[in-house]
Amino acid sequence: MSDCAWQLNESGHVAFNGVLTRASVPDIWKQRKQWLQGEQALTFDLQQLEKIDSAGVAMLLEVKRELRTQQRDLVIKNANQQLTAMIRVSGVDTLLELA
């Protein structure tokens, strides 16, 4: 699978599924106005995400930056081991907090 899709789940979280990679980030990013809406913290549920690469991590950092300008926070739930390791190794674990 080389696609990524998102939907609002029953908890109101943005749930991603598929792969969040260099190939899929541009399309997901174009849709950000739909999932960046709101006034409170934004929660990403990544339980169904099969793969993420450095472009996906960069997108998460950019979302965090945009939310900070709105005085909102980003919560990342159900991160897989790959994402957890990438965040640690790249040194952005202080910027992207995993719940």
Side-chain angles (χ1 to χ4, degrees):
M1 176 180 263
S2 62
D3 255 354
C4 188
W6 67 273
Q7 66 180 14
L8 285 178
N9 66 18
E10 63 278 352
S11 301
H13 302 159
V14 177
F16 288 97
N17 63 62
V19 296
L20 192 57
T21 62
R22 180 178 63 155
S24 62
V25 164
D27 288 334
I28 290 293
W29 189 247
K30 288 177 189 173
Q31 301 171 40
R32 74 185 178 280
K33 289 185 181 180
Q34 296 170 45
W35 44 262
L36 275 176
Q37 295 181 32
E39 296 178 9
Q40 298 182 357
L42 176 63
T43 301
F44 282 170
D45 186 339
L46 306 183
Q47 185 171 11
Q48 299 298 317
L49 199 61
E50 297 171 22
K51 180 181 177 184
I52 188 167
D53 68 6
S54 59
V57 173
M59 187 193 90
L60 295 176
L61 288 166
E62 187 60 23
V63 168
K64 176 81 173 185
R65 187 192 67 75
E66 282 202 27
L67 291 173
R68 193 174 342 160
T69 65
Q70 301 172 21
Q71 297 181 341
R72 296 172 60 201
D73 207 8
L74 175 63
V75 177
I76 300 171
K77 294 180 68 173
N78 299 312
N80 63 24
Q81 290 180 338
Q82 179 189 23
L83 176 58
T84 303
M86 287 179 69
I87 287 174
R88 242 182 236 127
V89 168
S90 62
V92 297
D93 51 338
T94 57
L95 299 173
L96 293 175
E97 299 174 32
L98 305 178

